[in-house]
Each structure stands twice: as structure tokens, then as C-alpha cells.
Amino acid sequence: MCKKLIALLMTGIMCISMTACGSNQGDQKAEATENNASGETAGAAKDTLNVVVDSDVGNMGPFGSGTSFSYLAPQVYEAMFELGYEMEVTPRLAEKWDKIDDTHYTFYLRQGVEFSDGNKMTADDVIFSLNLYTQDANYGRYVEHVDFEKTKAIDDYTVDLYFKEENAFAFSQLAGVRIISEESWNASPDQMVTDPVGTGPYKLQEYVSGSYFTLEANEKYWGGAPDIKTVKFTVTSEPSQRTTALETGEADLVMNLQASDVEYMNNKEGFTVIQDITVQSMSMFFNMNDASVFSNKELRQALCYAVDNSAINVAAYGGFCEPSKTYFSTAMMDYTDDMESAIYSVDKDKAKELFGASGVNGGNIRIATDGTTQETSIAEILQSELTQYGFTVQIDNYDPATIWSVGADPTQWDILLMLGSAPSGYGLDKMTAFLTGLNFSGWKGEKFDEFTELCVEASSTADEAKRLDYTKQALEIVSEEVPAYSFIQNVQNYAYVDNLNFKVWNQASLYVKDLKFE
């Protein structure tokens, strides 16, 4: 039961922090902005794009994470194919491919492609990159179905790729595998964290930690030199200052306009606002390991009954988001209206009853956030609820670039707040990735095995009706066991000058190669 996704939003694998929610796309404005970031009048030739983002890029290697990395990655790195504006399959380093059967593909690579350091791309780099991804805990799921014993380079520009079994998402997951030069990787002293090397239309020009990063056009790009020669991403953590930067001409594009400024900028001549319903949802993961108080199921259920998703929407997002209806967003392609059992209706009496039934009489709880205003606000709401029942709650604010590594270490938290989705746009894929693959919660036992088996059965069947039924059964287990709980499904706001042909790329990014000032 698929339905068209409206502007899918990512992970990545990636988890993106955002500062605004809403719905519907803003009306296009006819007037061009009077000034741009370099002081030129509208309509004048302009080849520099100034973008305001809310956080530092941090790790710029192929395994980076966080909001700003998701903006850098499409400019610098490329996969054999990618998922585009409407999540359509878009050829990149592979010109074409043949599907031999459900587990066997032959990819034909572009010839003459160079990495930004001058190394030539070959099929050996593809094989190297596929193997490299197995070494990363977060990104390894992109290649979890690849049969490495059979997969090989036929010649310099042909890759014979096999999957271990038929899987609904195995092919699309390859869009997340950025192709890296083996020679460049081995020569990098820090695994490209500060000096990324890819085949993309841009390469790193300058990086000032916590302040900005600038990319310059790769004039030797196989797809032709970009119209925009320089793109500067400026880090501005204060939401109101991002709006001001756009108004004053310091910025051409704000990737995360705060909700309270949407109407204001929508009514201001010379600017356009887009509000995209996303496939992201804000969730909390419970640490189910024995060392955490949340190894107790009744305690997990109690907190879910205690929190009010509508109140969280108002307090953390100004009411511009939508309260979650199930573990994943309703924008996911496999969502149906009868999947709402995974969300608890707020019930303070039931919460009190379960807190008592848990037998847990207070204790220390640590809540880990990515440091954004929204997650901090949610953490404070959870802190308030838990304090009423005798718990001592500590909130640890990290940042979007490090929260994934924190999540992978359950000794650092009892509740982990994280924004997540799935590159494929399927809720089943998100459940499989976060609750079985990454498994931040440390979930195990009979119910975990049953849940895992349902996810495997669902992803391996070609029967859509069966897949949907398995997905619903898996959601019922999530509702009962509560390894994670979703509060909000997000909407992200973008604002930009009218003479820029901006369009949201993939799930919540941009592809500068396609942009220009008109």
C-alpha cells in the first residue's frame, strides 16, 4: 500500500536536527530579492551561494553524521546511484546497470572519472568502498545484504554485485555507499575527517571549526563544471539570527528556518518559504540493558503514558509539528491509518499505576540530547515527569555531530533522544535499522527475536500485502515492549531568495550543482 512521499527527509543514516515544523508549501513570490549576500542587485550574475545552517559539520569523512554533514555530502561524495528530488533512482558513478535477478546486478561505471585529488576512479574503488562500510557501526547496514564472496570487479569499469538474499531494501541501500578512492583513503592521516576526497561537483576549500565551511567548484567534474563556483555554509545556532542573515543579504538560503518566522518571511517580498512534511520522527530510545532502570518494561510504559505528545509539540516546536501516530512518520510509504497502536494516549492515572507496578523506587537517569533547543525542551519535560516519581534526572547535551557515537555507547545514557528516518522512505526499513541493526537500546530476548524475524520476513517478501501484515505485527511488539517511543513527526522549513531555483534534494538536503541564480 504505497503512497507518494512528499519531500522525504533522512540518516543515515542519518539523523538531522531541525528547528522548525509546519505544513504545506509556501506560495512562490514574484519579486526577486533586492540584495544578495555579495551585495549584487537581483538579476546580476552571481556564482556564490551563501547558506546558513544550525550546526557545525564536524566529521567530513564518508561516515559523518548530523545536519550539516547531510548538506556537505551530496556536493563532495557520490554513490553509484542516488535517490533524487522525489526519491527517484538517479545514476551517478554507474552509468547503467543490469538486473540479472533479484540478488544479482552488474554495474557499468563511468569512465574517466577523477577524485578531487586527481586519482582515477575504478571498479576496485567500488569494491574497496563496499568493504569499508562494513567497518562502521552506523553505516554498515547499507551493505549488510551484500555477498562479498561473490561480489567482484570484472574489469576497471564493471562490478558484479551479489546480495545474500532477496531483500526489499538491499538495492536502494546502495545509494548510501559513497565511493572512496582506496589510495586517497590510505593516504589520509585522519580518514578524511578534515580533508574529504570525493568525485562530486565540489571540493573543500576552507573549514573553520564551529564557524563555517566553504566548498569550491570541481572544474573537472565529470558532469560538467557547476554554475555556482563557491558555496559557503555558515554555522548560526541562534534561530532568529538565521532569519536576520537572510533579510540583510548575508545569506541566500536558510536550511532550517524557525517556525515562528515562517509567516513573517512568507509575507516578505523577495523571499520564498517551503515547508516540507518529512519522514522523520523524534523519538526516545530506552536503555534496556540490566544496568539501567529502564530494563523494567513497566517503567518504560509508565513514562510513555505520562508524556503528552501534543504538549511536546507546543512546548518544543511551537505547535508547528504533528504529534506522532505510530513509531514512524505517516509520510512513510508503508504507513496506513490502522498503525496507530504504537502510540500511547496520555493517561496520568495509568502512568502512576505502572510506576508503582514497576517496583522501581527512584534512581539516577541520564537523558542524552543533540543539544538543539527542541531536544533540550523535550528532555526537560521528561525530567519534570520523572522527578515527580523520585528520580534524579541529568540532561547531557551533546551536538548533532557526536550524538550517534554517544547513542552507540549505552553506558552514557538511559534515555536517548534522536531524530530518525530511513533513506528508503519505508517505516519497516526504519524499524529494522534502528531497532535491530543499530539497536541502541540493547534490546534482546524472545520478543526481540520475534520482532527481528518479522522484520526479516517483511523485507524479504515480494508480496506487498504480506509485508504490510508483518509490519503491523512488528509494530504491535514495539508498542508492548517499548524499546523506543516516538513523540513528533517533523516538518522542515526552508527560506531563500526568490531568484534562486532552490528545491529540496533527497530527504532534506540540497544539490548545489543544480542550483543557479536566475
Side-chain angles (χ1 to χ4, degrees), residues 156-289:
D156 281 350
Y157 300 105
T158 310
V159 174
D160 222 14
L161 190 144
Y162 288 82
F163 297 117
K164 290 178 284 190
E165 69 283 313
E166 182 179 352
N167 183 276
F169 313 115
F171 179 83
S172 62
Q173 284 175 339
L174 294 177
V177 180
R178 303 169 184 116
I179 306 306
I180 307 300
S181 163
E182 181 174 7
E183 183 176 346
S184 304
W185 178 263
N186 291 333
S188 173
D190 64 357
Q191 299 184 331
M192 300 186 184
V193 168
T194 59
D195 189 16
V197 177
T199 61
Y202 289 88
K203 52 187 178 180
L204 181 68
Q205 181 184 72
E206 186 179 10
Y207 170 53
V208 177
S209 179
S211 182
Y212 66 87
F213 58 98
T214 304
L215 307 179
E216 62 179 334
N218 179 2
E219 297 296 335
K220 295 182 179 180
Y221 179 57
W222 61 263
D227 290 325
I228 291 177
K229 302 303 180 185
T230 305
V231 52
K232 182 177 181 180
F233 294 85
T234 301
V235 180
T236 306
S237 58
E238 172 55 45
S240 62
Q241 291 179 8
R242 294 196 289 273
T243 304
T244 300
L246 190 63
E247 287 186 281
T248 60
E250 297 173 47
D252 305 301
L253 168 65
V254 173
M255 292 300 290
N256 37 24
L257 183 72
Q258 66 176 342
S260 59
D261 286 346
V262 168
E263 184 176 0
Y264 171 71
M265 291 304 298
N266 221 358
N267 292 323
K268 194 171 182 63
E269 289 189 2
F271 301 98
T272 296
V273 175
I274 289 178
Q275 299 175 268
D276 276 348
I277 300 172
T278 80
V279 294
Q280 286 185 314
S281 53
M282 175 61 72
S283 303
M284 62 176 168
F285 293 85
F286 289 108
N287 188 337
M288 298 170 68
N289 293 287

Side-chain angles (χ1 to χ4, degrees), residues 299 302 306 348-353 355-356 360-363 383-392:
L299 189 62
K348 299 294 185 179
D349 291 335
K350 184 69 174 177
K352 184 177 181 179
E353 176 187 334
F355 272 119
V360 181
N361 298 312
Q383 182 184 51
S384 176
E385 291 291 343
L386 289 164
T387 299
Q388 296 178 41
Y389 292 93
F391 294 96
T392 299

Side-chain angles (χ1 to χ4, degrees), residues 56-356:
D56 188 33
V57 66
N59 183 351
M60 290 182 281
F63 304 129
S65 62
T67 310
S68 292
F69 178 76
S70 71
Y71 304 148
L72 174 141
Q75 327 314 327
V76 173
Y77 297 108
E78 293 182 301
M80 288 193 291
F81 62 87
E82 296 175 12
L83 303 180
Y85 293 107
E86 301 296 333
M87 296 301 283
E88 75 280 9
V89 174
T90 305
R92 281 291 187 255
L93 297 179
E95 286 187 300
K96 59 180 181 178
W97 48 88
D98 292 331
K99 180 179 180 180
I100 310 305
D101 56 46
D102 289 331
T103 61
H104 182 194
Y105 289 78
T106 300
F107 290 89
Y108 304 95
L109 305 179
R110 298 183 188 278
Q111 300 187 25
V113 175
E114 290 187 6
F115 291 93
S116 58
D117 61 358
N119 287 326
K120 303 288 186 181
M121 184 205 68
T122 69
D124 287 337
D125 293 312
V126 173
I127 299 299
F128 171 77
S129 301
L130 291 168
N131 280 280
L132 186 65
Y133 269 61
T134 65
Q135 301 173 25
D136 187 87
N138 294 328
Y139 283 87
R141 68 187 185 89
Y142 289 119
V143 294
E144 63 184 339
H145 302 292
V146 175
D147 187 334
F148 286 96
E149 291 186 4
K150 293 182 179 180
T151 297
K152 59 184 177 180
I154 301 300
D155 55 40
D156 281 350
Y157 300 105
T158 310
V159 174
D160 222 14
L161 190 144
Y162 288 82
F163 297 117
K164 290 178 284 190
E165 69 283 313
E166 182 179 352
N167 183 276
F169 313 115
F171 179 83
S172 62
Q173 284 175 339
L174 294 177
V177 180
R178 303 169 184 116
I179 306 306
I180 307 300
S181 163
E182 181 174 7
E183 183 176 346
S184 304
W185 178 263
N186 291 333
S188 173
D190 64 357
Q191 299 184 331
M192 300 186 184
V193 168
T194 59
D195 189 16
V197 177
T199 61
Y202 289 88
K203 52 187 178 180
L204 181 68
Q205 181 184 72
E206 186 179 10
Y207 170 53
V208 177
S209 179
S211 182
Y212 66 87
F213 58 98
T214 304
L215 307 179
E216 62 179 334
N218 179 2
E219 297 296 335
K220 295 182 179 180
Y221 179 57
W222 61 263
D227 290 325
I228 291 177
K229 302 303 180 185
T230 305
V231 52
K232 182 177 181 180
F233 294 85
T234 301
V235 180
T236 306
S237 58
E238 172 55 45
S240 62
Q241 291 179 8
R242 294 196 289 273
T243 304
T244 300
L246 190 63
E247 287 186 281
T248 60
E250 297 173 47
D252 305 301
L253 168 65
V254 173
M255 292 300 290
N256 37 24
L257 183 72
Q258 66 176 342
S260 59
D261 286 346
V262 168
E263 184 176 0
Y264 171 71
M265 291 304 298
N266 221 358
N267 292 323
K268 194 171 182 63
E269 289 189 2
F271 301 98
T272 296
V273 175
I274 289 178
Q275 299 175 268
D276 276 348
I277 300 172
T278 80
V279 294
Q280 286 185 314
S281 53
M282 175 61 72
S283 303
M284 62 176 168
F285 293 85
F286 289 108
N287 188 337
M288 298 170 68
N289 293 287
D290 292 340
S292 174
V293 295
F294 287 112
S295 60
N296 185 291
K297 181 170 72 173
E298 284 77 16
L299 189 62
R300 299 194 300 271
Q301 292 175 335
L303 184 56
C304 293
Y305 275 115
V307 297
D308 184 342
N309 285 357
S310 294
I312 287 177
N313 182 28
V314 173
Y317 299 96
F320 286 91
C321 281
E322 290 291 329
S324 292
K325 293 185 176 180
T326 191
Y327 172 64
F328 49 78
S329 169
T330 59
M332 290 289 194
M333 289 192 284
D334 51 350
Y335 171 79
T336 59
D337 291 337
D338 55 353
M339 288 182 173
E340 300 184 4
S341 62
I343 295 300
Y344 291 38
S345 298
V346 59
D347 187 333
K348 299 294 185 179
D349 291 335
K350 184 69 174 177
K352 184 177 181 179
E353 176 187 334
L354 284 166
F355 272 119

